[in-house]
Amino acid sequence: FYHSRIHAHISSKMTTFNLSLVTPARSFTSSLKLLLSQAFGICGEKALDFLEENTPEDLKPIQNAMLTEMTLMGMIGIVTFVLGKFKALNDPSEKILGEDDAINEMLEKVHMLLFFILVIFLLEASFLMFISKNRVNQWKEWNEIATEDDKLKKTLRQHALDMADGKSVNHEKLIFLAIRQRFVFHKKAHENHKTPLDFEFHRYLGSCAGKTIGHLVEIDIKNWATLWALFVVFWGLHWSLKSNRDVYIVGVSLIPLLLTILNYVVLLKMS
């Protein structure tokens, strides 16, 4: 009895000692998570401010579409995170899938996948914004050449000499100058719209580009419905092809390759 009392006393002291070690560790982990969350929020806020201040007015549709989709995907991520914490899903998960936590695990995977998609979407949209801004600045330089006769004649003469000598020529600049001349000096342009000779054609193209790319960045209801249908299909295949999981993995792995080929075809069509 005396030996057991000593053992219990020592065990109690060891438990208290272990708890004193675990509690600071948990506190440090919680503080670190909170610090990282605040740092992520501050960086995101600064990035949005930078985007707001450095986005030209003509490219605002791209920014608005990007922020709209980020908000929507963030809301979907929150919903999946909250639903994944409900214990009420254990019973239907057990009846449908044979595992009480299968649905919760699936929702957790969807939540993580949405965050990954959001990061990729943000990077791609920012890259499109960067390309569009540089292209509009380039159009501005060419527009300044087109508004001054001396610069225009000098540029065309130099391009003609380069072509005669077999040198490389910036065909995009020539196309821009030709389209602008056609746009500004067309007979109907002066009769109906009073287009000035110093018309800022780069602003017009920039506005068109902003609306077009903004429409590409924005995910409409049809695309969301298609994504949801694909999600249901892949989810069904994931649970129905347990015996042929290798075939399923290979098939899913080939999808990015097919999408890459499709994107290349679309790029050729746009060119």
Side-chain angles (χ1 to χ4, degrees):
F1 176 77
Y2 181 72
H3 175 72
S4 62
R5 289 293 299 273
I6 293 177
H7 181 71
H9 179 73
I10 294 176
S11 299
S12 176
K13 291 296 184 181
M14 290 298 295
T15 302
T16 304
F17 178 73
N18 290 334
L19 288 176
S20 65
L21 292 178
V22 171
T23 302
R26 290 181 177 177
S27 178
F28 174 76
T29 303
S30 301
S31 300
L32 182 60
K33 290 181 178 179
L34 182 61
L35 181 63
L36 291 176
S37 299
Q38 292 177 348
F40 183 78
I42 293 174
C43 293
E45 188 70 23
K46 294 295 183 182
L48 291 178
D49 292 340
F50 177 82
L51 186 65
E52 181 71 25
E53 295 174 358
N54 293 272
T55 300
E57 191 66 28
D58 299 329
L59 301 179
K60 287 293 184 181
I62 305 177
Q63 175 188 339
N64 296 334
M66 180 173 61
L67 295 179
T68 300
E69 298 306 324
M70 288 175 59
T71 304
L72 183 57
M73 282 190 281
M75 287 297 299
I76 296 175
I78 292 176
V79 171
T80 55
F81 176 77
V82 173
L83 290 177
K85 300 302 179 182
F86 285 170
K87 298 297 182 181
L89 297 175
N90 291 349
D91 185 54
S93 178
E94 177 70 26
K95 293 180 179 179
I96 299 174
L97 304 176
E99 300 177 8
D100 58 352
D101 59 344
I103 293 181
N104 291 336
E105 291 182 357
M106 180 186 66
L107 290 173
E108 184 178 356
K109 292 179 180 179
V110 171
H111 175 70
M112 297 173 62
L113 181 61
L114 278 174
F115 178 76
F116 175 74
I117 293 175
L118 180 60
V119 172
I120 298 299
F121 170 79
L122 181 60
L123 292 176
E124 290 184 339
S126 300
F127 181 67
L128 282 175
M129 180 77 75
F130 175 76
I131 292 178
S132 302
K133 186 177 180 181
N134 288 342
R135 181 51 60 93
V136 171
N137 291 333
Q138 192 174 53
W139 288 338
K140 183 179 180 181
E141 295 178 1
W142 296 345
N143 189 80
E144 293 177 354
I145 295 175
T147 54
E148 299 183 18
D149 292 339
D150 294 338
K151 288 185 177 180
L152 180 59
K153 292 178 181 179
K154 182 179 179 181
T155 301
L156 295 177
R157 186 182 300 110
Q158 184 62 43
H159 277 73
L161 294 175
D162 292 339
M163 292 180 65
D165 295 338
K167 298 180 181 179
S168 60
V169 178
N170 190 346
H171 292 284
E172 290 188 7
K173 181 190 291 187
L174 294 177
I175 292 173
F176 176 88
L177 296 175
I179 294 176
R180 187 190 181 280
Q181 294 294 106
R182 176 81 172 180
F183 185 90
V184 173
F185 292 98
H186 197 275
K187 182 179 180 180
K188 292 183 179 180
H190 294 283
E191 292 179 354
N192 301 330
H193 306 290
K194 306 296 183 183
T195 305
L197 299 180
D198 59 346
F199 179 73
E200 296 180 342
F201 191 58
H202 64 283
R203 291 288 307 276
Y204 172 76
L205 292 183
S207 178
C208 295
K211 293 178 181 179
T212 303
I213 299 176
H215 180 70
L216 293 176
V217 171
E218 185 179 5
I219 305 176
D220 56 16
I221 186 64
K222 294 181 180 179
N223 289 330
W224 277 116
T226 303
L227 290 174
W228 179 254
L230 289 175
F231 171 77
V232 173
V233 170
F234 285 123
W235 179 75
L237 291 174
H238 176 77
W239 289 100
S240 62
L241 297 178
K242 288 185 176 181
S243 59
N244 297 319
R245 191 58 58 86
D246 295 338
V247 177
Y248 171 76
I249 293 176
V250 172
V252 173
S253 301
L254 289 177
I255 292 178
L257 178 61
L258 298 177
L259 290 177
T260 302
I261 297 175
L262 179 61
N263 286 332
Y264 180 71
V265 173
V266 172
L267 179 62
L268 291 179
K269 178 65 176 177
M270 293 178 64
S271 299

Coordinates of all heavy atoms in Angstrom, one line a residue, residues 101-174:
D101 N -16.6 8.8 -41.4 CA -15.9 10.1 -41.6 C -15.5 10.3 -43.0 O -14.7 11.2 -43.3 CB -14.7 10.2 -40.7 CG -13.7 9.1 -41.0 OD1 -14.1 8.1 -41.6 OD2 -12.5 9.2 -40.6
A102 N -16.1 9.6 -44.0 CA -15.7 9.7 -45.4 C -16.1 11.1 -45.9 O -15.3 11.7 -46.6 CB -16.3 8.6 -46.2
I103 N -17.3 11.5 -45.6 CA -17.8 12.8 -46.2 C -17.0 13.9 -45.6 O -16.6 14.9 -46.3 CB -19.3 13.0 -45.9 CG1 -20.1 12.0 -46.7 CG2 -19.7 14.4 -46.3 CD1 -21.6 12.1 -46.5
N104 N -16.7 13.9 -44.3 CA -15.9 14.9 -43.7 C -14.5 15.0 -44.3 O -14.0 16.1 -44.5 CB -15.8 14.7 -42.2 CG -17.2 14.9 -41.5 OD1 -18.0 15.6 -42.0 ND2 -17.3 14.3 -40.3
E105 N -13.9 13.9 -44.5 CA -12.6 13.9 -45.1 C -12.7 14.4 -46.6 O -11.8 15.1 -47.0 CB -12.0 12.4 -45.2 CG -11.6 11.9 -43.8 CD -11.1 10.5 -43.9 OE1 -11.0 10.0 -45.0 OE2 -10.7 10.0 -42.8
M106 N -13.7 14.1 -47.3 CA -13.9 14.6 -48.6 C -14.0 16.1 -48.6 O -13.4 16.8 -49.4 CB -15.1 13.9 -49.3 CG -15.4 14.4 -50.7 SD -16.9 13.7 -51.3 CE -18.1 14.6 -50.3
L107 N -14.8 16.6 -47.7 CA -15.0 18.1 -47.6 C -13.7 18.8 -47.2 O -13.4 19.9 -47.7 CB -16.1 18.4 -46.6 CG -17.5 18.0 -47.0 CD1 -18.5 18.3 -45.8 CD2 -18.0 18.9 -48.2
E108 N -12.9 18.1 -46.4 CA -11.6 18.7 -46.0 C -10.7 18.7 -47.3 O -10.0 19.7 -47.5 CB -11.0 17.9 -44.9 CG -9.7 18.5 -44.4 CD -9.1 17.7 -43.3 OE1 -9.7 16.7 -42.8 OE2 -7.9 18.0 -42.8
K109 N -10.7 17.7 -48.1 CA -9.9 17.7 -49.3 C -10.4 18.8 -50.3 O -9.6 19.4 -50.9 CB -10.0 16.3 -50.0 CG -9.3 15.2 -49.2 CD -9.4 13.9 -49.9 CE -8.7 12.8 -49.1 NZ -8.9 11.4 -49.8
V110 N -11.7 18.9 -50.4 CA -12.2 20.0 -51.2 C -11.8 21.3 -50.8 O -11.4 22.2 -51.6 CB -13.8 19.9 -51.3 CG1 -14.4 21.1 -52.0 CG2 -14.2 18.6 -52.0
H111 N -11.8 21.5 -49.5 CA -11.4 22.8 -48.9 C -9.9 23.1 -49.2 O -9.6 24.3 -49.6 CB -11.6 22.8 -47.4 CG -11.1 24.0 -46.7 ND1 -11.7 25.3 -46.8 CD2 -10.0 24.2 -45.9 CE1 -11.0 26.1 -46.1 NE2 -10.0 25.5 -45.5
M112 N -9.1 22.1 -49.1 CA -7.7 22.3 -49.4 C -7.5 22.5 -50.9 O -6.6 23.4 -51.3 CB -6.9 21.1 -48.9 CG -6.9 20.9 -47.4 SD -6.1 19.3 -46.9 CE -4.4 19.6 -47.5
L113 N -8.2 21.8 -51.7 CA -8.1 21.9 -53.2 C -8.6 23.3 -53.6 O -7.9 23.9 -54.5 CB -8.9 20.9 -53.9 CG -8.9 20.9 -55.4 CD1 -7.5 20.6 -55.9 CD2 -9.8 19.8 -55.9
L114 N -9.6 23.8 -53.0 CA -10.1 25.2 -53.3 C -9.0 26.2 -53.0 O -8.9 27.2 -53.8 CB -11.4 25.5 -52.6 CG -12.7 24.9 -53.2 CD1 -13.8 25.2 -52.2 CD2 -12.9 25.6 -54.5
F115 N -8.3 26.1 -51.9 CA -7.3 27.0 -51.6 C -6.2 27.0 -52.6 O -5.7 28.0 -53.0 CB -6.7 26.7 -50.2 CG -5.6 27.6 -49.8 CD1 -5.8 28.9 -49.4 CD2 -4.3 27.2 -49.8 CE1 -4.8 29.8 -49.0 CE2 -3.2 28.0 -49.5 CZ -3.5 29.3 -49.1
F116 N -5.8 25.8 -53.0 CA -4.8 25.6 -54.1 C -5.2 26.3 -55.4 O -4.5 27.0 -56.0 CB -4.5 24.1 -54.3 CG -3.5 23.9 -55.4 CD1 -2.2 24.1 -55.2 CD2 -4.0 23.3 -56.6 CE1 -1.3 23.9 -56.3 CE2 -3.1 23.1 -57.6 CZ -1.7 23.3 -57.5
I117 N -6.5 26.0 -55.8 CA -7.0 26.6 -57.0 C -7.0 28.1 -56.9 O -6.8 28.8 -57.8 CB -8.4 26.1 -57.3 CG1 -8.3 24.6 -57.6 CG2 -9.1 26.8 -58.4 CD1 -9.7 23.9 -57.8
L118 N -7.4 28.6 -55.7 CA -7.4 30.1 -55.5 C -6.1 30.7 -55.7 O -5.9 31.8 -56.3 CB -8.0 30.4 -54.1 CG -8.1 31.9 -53.7 CD1 -9.1 32.6 -54.6 CD2 -8.6 32.0 -52.3
V119 N -5.0 30.1 -55.2 CA -3.7 30.6 -55.3 C -3.3 30.6 -56.8 O -2.7 31.6 -57.3 CB -2.7 29.8 -54.5 CG1 -1.2 30.2 -54.8 CG2 -3.0 29.9 -53.0
I120 N -3.5 29.5 -57.5 CA -3.2 29.4 -58.9 C -4.0 30.4 -59.7 O -3.5 31.1 -60.6 CB -3.5 28.0 -59.5 CG1 -2.6 27.0 -58.8 CG2 -3.2 27.9 -61.0 CD1 -1.1 27.2 -58.9
F121 N -5.3 30.6 -59.4 CA -6.1 31.6 -60.1 C -5.6 33.0 -59.9 O -5.5 33.8 -60.8 CB -7.5 31.5 -59.6 CG -8.5 32.6 -60.0 CD1 -9.0 32.6 -61.3 CD2 -8.8 33.6 -59.2 CE1 -9.9 33.6 -61.7 CE2 -9.6 34.7 -59.6 CZ -10.1 34.6 -60.9
L122 N -5.2 33.3 -58.7 CA -4.6 34.6 -58.4 C -3.4 34.9 -59.1 O -3.2 36.0 -59.7 CB -4.4 34.8 -56.9 CG -3.8 36.1 -56.4 CD1 -4.8 37.2 -56.7 CD2 -3.6 36.1 -54.9
L123 N -2.5 33.9 -59.2 CA -1.2 34.1 -60.0 C -1.5 34.2 -61.4 O -0.9 35.1 -62.1 CB -0.3 32.8 -59.7 CG 0.2 32.7 -58.3 CD1 1.0 31.4 -58.2 CD2 1.1 33.9 -57.9
E124 N -2.4 33.5 -62.0 CA -2.7 33.6 -63.4 C -3.3 34.9 -63.8 O -3.0 35.6 -64.8 CB -3.6 32.4 -63.9 CG -2.9 31.1 -63.9 CD -3.8 30.0 -64.4 OE1 -5.0 30.2 -64.4 OE2 -3.3 28.9 -64.8
A125 N -4.3 35.3 -62.9 CA -5.0 36.6 -63.2 C -4.0 37.8 -63.0 O -4.0 38.7 -63.8 CB -6.1 36.8 -62.2
S126 N -3.1 37.7 -62.1 CA -2.1 38.8 -61.9 C -1.1 38.8 -63.1 O -0.7 39.9 -63.5 CB -1.3 38.5 -60.6 OG -2.1 38.5 -59.5
F127 N -0.8 37.6 -63.6 CA 0.1 37.5 -64.8 C -0.6 38.1 -66.0 O 0.0 38.9 -66.8 CB 0.4 36.1 -65.1 CG 1.3 35.9 -66.2 CD1 2.6 36.3 -66.2 CD2 0.9 35.2 -67.4 CE1 3.5 36.2 -67.3 CE2 1.7 35.0 -68.5 CZ 3.0 35.5 -68.4
L128 N -1.9 37.9 -66.2 CA -2.7 38.5 -67.3 C -2.7 40.0 -67.1 O -2.6 40.8 -68.1 CB -4.1 37.9 -67.3 CG -4.3 36.6 -67.9 CD1 -5.7 36.1 -67.8 CD2 -3.9 36.6 -69.4
M129 N -2.9 40.5 -65.9 CA -2.9 41.9 -65.6 C -1.6 42.5 -66.0 O -1.5 43.6 -66.6 CB -3.2 42.2 -64.1 CG -3.3 43.6 -63.8 SD -4.8 44.4 -64.3 CE -5.9 43.8 -63.1
F130 N -0.5 41.9 -65.6 CA 0.9 42.4 -65.9 C 1.1 42.4 -67.4 O 1.6 43.5 -67.9 CB 1.9 41.4 -65.2 CG 3.3 41.8 -65.6 CD1 4.0 42.9 -64.9 CD2 4.0 41.0 -66.5 CE1 5.3 43.2 -65.2 CE2 5.4 41.3 -66.8 CZ 6.0 42.4 -66.2
I131 N 0.7 41.4 -68.1 CA 0.9 41.4 -69.6 C 0.1 42.5 -70.2 O 0.5 43.2 -71.1 CB 0.5 40.0 -70.2 CG1 1.6 39.0 -69.7 CG2 0.5 40.1 -71.7 CD1 1.2 37.6 -70.2
S132 N -1.2 42.6 -69.8 CA -2.1 43.6 -70.4 C -1.5 45.1 -70.1 O -1.6 45.9 -71.0 CB -3.5 43.5 -69.8 OG -4.0 42.2 -70.0
K133 N -1.0 45.3 -68.9 CA -0.5 46.6 -68.6 C 0.7 47.0 -69.5 O 0.8 48.1 -70.0 CB -0.1 46.7 -67.1 CG 0.3 48.1 -66.7 CD 0.6 48.1 -65.2 CE 1.0 49.5 -64.7 NZ 1.3 49.5 -63.2
N134 N 1.6 46.0 -69.7 CA 2.8 46.2 -70.5 C 2.4 46.4 -72.0 O 3.0 47.2 -72.7 CB 3.7 45.0 -70.4 CG 4.5 45.0 -69.0 OD1 4.5 46.0 -68.3 ND2 5.0 43.8 -68.7
R135 N 1.4 45.7 -72.4 CA 1.0 45.8 -73.8 C 0.3 47.2 -74.0 O 0.6 47.8 -75.1 CB 0.0 44.7 -74.1 CG -0.5 44.7 -75.6 CD 0.6 44.8 -76.6 NE 1.5 43.7 -76.5 CZ 1.5 42.6 -77.2 NH1 0.5 42.5 -78.1 NH2 2.4 41.7 -77.1
V136 N -0.5 47.7 -73.1 CA -1.1 49.0 -73.2 C 0.0 50.1 -73.3 O -0.1 51.0 -74.0 CB -2.1 49.2 -72.1 CG1 -2.6 50.7 -72.1 CG2 -3.3 48.3 -72.2
N137 N 1.0 49.9 -72.4 CA 2.1 50.9 -72.4 C 2.9 50.9 -73.8 O 3.3 51.9 -74.3 CB 3.1 50.6 -71.3 CG 2.5 50.9 -69.9 OD1 1.6 51.7 -69.8 ND2 3.0 50.2 -68.9
Q138 N 3.0 49.7 -74.3 CA 3.6 49.5 -75.7 C 2.8 50.2 -76.7 O 3.3 50.9 -77.6 CB 3.9 48.1 -76.0 CG 4.8 47.8 -77.2 CD 5.1 46.4 -77.4 OE1 4.2 45.5 -77.4 NE2 6.4 46.0 -77.4
W139 N 1.5 50.0 -76.7 CA 0.6 50.7 -77.6 C 0.6 52.2 -77.5 O 0.5 52.9 -78.5 CB -0.9 50.2 -77.4 CG -1.1 48.8 -77.8 CD1 -0.4 48.0 -78.7 CD2 -2.2 47.9 -77.3 NE1 -0.9 46.8 -78.8 CE2 -2.0 46.7 -78.0 CE3 -3.2 48.0 -76.4 CZ2 -2.9 45.6 -77.8 CZ3 -4.0 47.0 -76.2 CH2 -3.9 45.8 -76.9
K140 N 0.8 52.6 -76.3 CA 0.9 54.1 -76.0 C 2.1 54.7 -76.8 O 2.1 55.7 -77.4 CB 1.0 54.4 -74.5 CG 1.1 55.9 -74.2 CD 1.1 56.1 -72.7 CE 1.2 57.6 -72.4 NZ 1.2 57.8 -70.9
E141 N 3.3 54.0 -76.7 CA 4.5 54.4 -77.4 C 4.2 54.4 -78.9 O 4.6 55.4 -79.6 CB 5.6 53.5 -77.1 CG 6.1 53.6 -75.6 CD 7.2 52.6 -75.3 OE1 7.7 51.9 -76.3 OE2 7.6 52.5 -74.2
W142 N 3.6 53.4 -79.5 CA 3.3 53.4 -80.9 C 2.3 54.4 -81.3 O 2.4 55.0 -82.4 CB 2.8 52.0 -81.3 CG 3.8 50.9 -81.1 CD1 5.1 51.0 -80.8 CD2 3.6 49.5 -81.0 NE1 5.8 49.8 -80.7 CE2 4.8 48.8 -80.8 CE3 2.4 48.7 -81.2 CZ2 4.9 47.5 -80.7 CZ3 2.5 47.3 -81.1 CH2 3.8 46.7 -80.8
N143 N 1.4 54.7 -80.4 CA 0.4 55.8 -80.7 C 1.0 57.1 -80.8 O 0.6 58.0 -81.6 CB -0.7 55.8 -79.6 CG -1.9 56.7 -80.0 OD1 -2.8 56.3 -80.8 ND2 -1.9 57.9 -79.4
E144 N 2.0 57.4 -80.0 CA 2.8 58.7 -80.0 C 3.5 58.8 -81.3 O 3.6 59.9 -81.9 CB 3.7 58.7 -78.8 CG 3.0 58.9 -77.5 CD 4.0 58.9 -76.3 OE1 5.2 58.7 -76.6 OE2 3.6 59.0 -75.2
I145 N 4.0 57.7 -81.8 CA 4.7 57.7 -83.2 C 3.7 58.0 -84.2 O 4.0 58.8 -85.2 CB 5.3 56.3 -83.4 CG1 6.5 56.1 -82.4 CG2 5.9 56.3 -84.9 CD1 7.1 54.7 -82.6
A146 N 2.5 57.5 -84.1 CA 1.5 57.7 -85.2 C 0.9 59.1 -85.2 O 0.5 59.6 -86.3 CB 0.3 56.7 -85.0
T147 N 1.0 59.8 -84.1 CA 0.4 61.1 -84.0 C 1.4 62.2 -84.5 O 1.0 63.4 -84.7 CB 0.0 61.5 -82.6 OG1 1.1 61.3 -81.7 CG2 -1.2 60.6 -82.1
E148 N 2.6 61.9 -84.8 CA 3.6 62.8 -85.3 C 4.1 62.3 -86.6 O 4.6 61.3 -86.8 CB 4.8 63.0 -84.3 CG 4.4 63.5 -82.9 CD 5.5 63.7 -82.0 OE1 6.7 63.7 -82.5 OE2 5.3 63.8 -80.8
D149 N 3.9 63.2 -87.6 CA 4.2 62.8 -89.0 C 5.7 62.5 -89.2 O 6.0 61.5 -89.9 CB 3.8 63.9 -90.0 CG 2.3 64.1 -90.1 OD1 1.6 63.1 -89.7 OD2 1.8 65.1 -90.4
D150 N 6.6 63.3 -88.6 CA 8.0 63.0 -88.8 C 8.4 61.6 -88.2 O 9.1 60.9 -88.8 CB 8.8 64.1 -88.1 CG 8.6 65.5 -88.8 OD1 8.2 65.5 -89.9 OD2 8.8 66.5 -88.1
K151 N 7.9 61.3 -87.0 CA 8.3 60.1 -86.4 C 7.7 58.9 -87.2 O 8.3 57.9 -87.4 CB 7.7 60.0 -84.9 CG 8.5 60.9 -84.0 CD 8.0 60.7 -82.5 CE 8.8 61.5 -81.5 NZ 8.3 61.3 -80.1
L152 N 6.4 59.1 -87.7 CA 5.8 58.1 -88.5 C 6.5 57.8 -89.8 O 6.8 56.6 -90.1 CB 4.3 58.5 -88.8 CG 3.5 57.5 -89.6 CD1 3.4 56.1 -88.8 CD2 2.1 58.0 -89.8
K153 N 6.9 58.8 -90.5 CA 7.6 58.6 -91.7 C 9.0 58.0 -91.5 O 9.4 57.1 -92.2 CB 7.8 60.0 -92.4 CG 6.5 60.6 -93.0 CD 6.8 61.9 -93.6 CE 5.4 62.5 -94.1 NZ 5.7 63.9 -94.7
K154 N 9.7 58.4 -90.4 CA 11.0 57.8 -90.1 C 10.9 56.4 -89.7 O 11.7 55.5 -90.1 CB 11.6 58.6 -88.9 CG 13.0 58.2 -88.5 CD 13.5 59.0 -87.4 CE 14.9 58.5 -87.0 NZ 15.5 59.3 -85.8
T155 N 9.8 56.0 -89.0 CA 9.6 54.6 -88.6 C 9.3 53.7 -89.8 O 9.9 52.7 -89.9 CB 8.5 54.5 -87.5 OG1 8.8 55.3 -86.4 CG2 8.2 53.1 -87.1
L156 N 8.4 54.2 -90.6 CA 8.1 53.4 -91.8 C 9.3 53.3 -92.8 O 9.5 52.2 -93.4 CB 6.9 54.1 -92.5 CG 5.6 54.1 -91.8 CD1 4.5 54.8 -92.6 CD2 5.1 52.7 -91.4
R157 N 10.0 54.3 -92.9 CA 11.2 54.3 -93.8 C 12.2 53.3 -93.2 O 12.8 52.5 -94.0 CB 11.8 55.7 -93.9 CG 13.0 55.7 -94.9 CD 13.6 57.1 -95.0 NE 12.6 58.1 -95.4 CZ 12.2 59.0 -94.6 NH1 12.6 59.1 -93.3 NH2 11.3 59.9 -95.1
Q158 N 12.4 53.3 -91.9 CA 13.4 52.4 -91.3 C 12.9 50.9 -91.4 O 13.7 50.0 -91.7 CB 13.6 52.7 -89.8 CG 14.6 51.9 -89.1 CD 16.0 52.1 -89.7 OE1 16.4 53.2 -90.0 NE2 16.8 51.0 -89.9
H159 N 11.6 50.7 -91.2 CA 11.1 49.3 -91.4 C 11.3 48.9 -92.8 O 11.6 47.7 -93.1 CB 9.6 49.3 -91.0 CG 9.4 49.1 -89.5 ND1 9.7 50.2 -88.6 CD2 9.0 48.1 -88.8 CE1 9.4 49.7 -87.4 NE2 9.0 48.5 -87.4
A160 N 11.1 49.8 -93.8 CA 11.2 49.4 -95.2 C 12.6 49.0 -95.5 O 12.9 48.0 -96.2 CB 10.7 50.5 -96.1
L161 N 13.6 49.8 -95.0 CA 15.0 49.5 -95.2 C 15.4 48.1 -94.5 O 16.1 47.3 -95.1 CB 15.9 50.6 -94.6 CG 15.8 51.9 -95.4 CD1 16.6 53.0 -94.6 CD2 16.3 51.8 -96.8
D162 N 14.9 47.9 -93.3 CA 15.2 46.6 -92.7 C 14.6 45.4 -93.4 O 15.2 44.4 -93.5 CB 14.6 46.6 -91.2 CG 15.3 47.6 -90.3 OD1 16.5 48.0 -90.7 OD2 14.7 48.1 -89.3
M163 N 13.4 45.6 -94.0 CA 12.8 44.5 -94.7 C 13.6 44.3 -96.0 O 13.8 43.1 -96.4 CB 11.3 44.8 -95.1 CG 10.4 44.8 -93.9 SD 8.7 45.3 -94.3 CE 8.3 43.8 -95.3
A164 N 14.1 45.3 -96.6 CA 14.9 45.2 -97.9 C 16.2 44.5 -97.6 O 16.7 43.7 -98.4 CB 15.1 46.6 -98.5
D165 N 16.8 44.7 -96.4 CA 18.0 44.1 -96.0 C 17.9 42.7 -95.4 O 18.8 42.1 -95.1 CB 18.8 45.0 -95.1 CG 19.2 46.3 -95.7 OD1 19.3 46.4 -96.9 OD2 19.4 47.3 -94.9
G166 N 16.6 42.3 -95.3 CA 16.4 41.0 -94.7 C 16.5 40.9 -93.2 O 16.6 39.8 -92.6
K167 N 16.4 42.1 -92.5 CA 16.5 42.1 -91.1 C 15.1 41.8 -90.5 O 14.1 41.9 -91.2 CB 17.0 43.5 -90.6 CG 18.4 43.8 -91.1 CD 18.8 45.1 -90.6 CE 20.2 45.5 -91.1 NZ 20.7 46.8 -90.6
S168 N 15.1 41.5 -89.2 CA 13.8 41.3 -88.5 C 13.0 42.6 -88.3 O 13.6 43.6 -88.1 CB 14.1 40.6 -87.1 OG 14.9 41.5 -86.3
V169 N 11.7 42.5 -88.5 CA 10.9 43.7 -88.4 C 9.8 43.4 -87.4 O 9.3 42.3 -87.3 CB 10.3 44.0 -89.8 CG1 9.3 45.2 -89.7 CG2 11.3 44.2 -90.8
N170 N 9.5 44.4 -86.6 CA 8.4 44.3 -85.6 C 7.1 44.5 -86.3 O 6.5 45.6 -86.5 CB 8.6 45.4 -84.5 CG 7.6 45.2 -83.4 OD1 6.7 44.4 -83.4 ND2 7.9 45.9 -82.3
H171 N 6.5 43.4 -86.7 CA 5.3 43.4 -87.5 C 4.1 43.9 -86.7 O 3.2 44.5 -87.2 CB 4.9 42.0 -88.1 CG 5.9 41.5 -89.1 ND1 5.9 42.0 -90.4 CD2 6.9 40.7 -89.0 CE1 6.9 41.4 -91.1 NE2 7.5 40.6 -90.3
E172 N 4.1 43.7 -85.4 CA 3.0 44.1 -84.5 C 2.9 45.7 -84.5 O 1.8 46.2 -84.5 CB 3.2 43.6 -83.1 CG 3.0 42.1 -82.9 CD 3.0 41.7 -81.5 OE1 3.0 42.6 -80.6 OE2 2.9 40.5 -81.2
K173 N 4.1 46.3 -84.6 CA 4.1 47.8 -84.6 C 3.4 48.3 -85.9 O 2.6 49.2 -86.0 CB 5.5 48.3 -84.5 CG 5.5 49.9 -84.5 CD 6.9 50.4 -84.6 CE 7.7 50.1 -83.3 NZ 9.0 50.8 -83.3
L174 N 3.8 47.6 -87.0 CA 3.3 48.0 -88.3 C 1.8 47.7 -88.4 O 1.0 48.6 -88.9 CB 4.0 47.2 -89.4 CG 5.5 47.5 -89.7 CD1 6.0 46.6 -90.8 CD2 5.7 49.0 -90.0

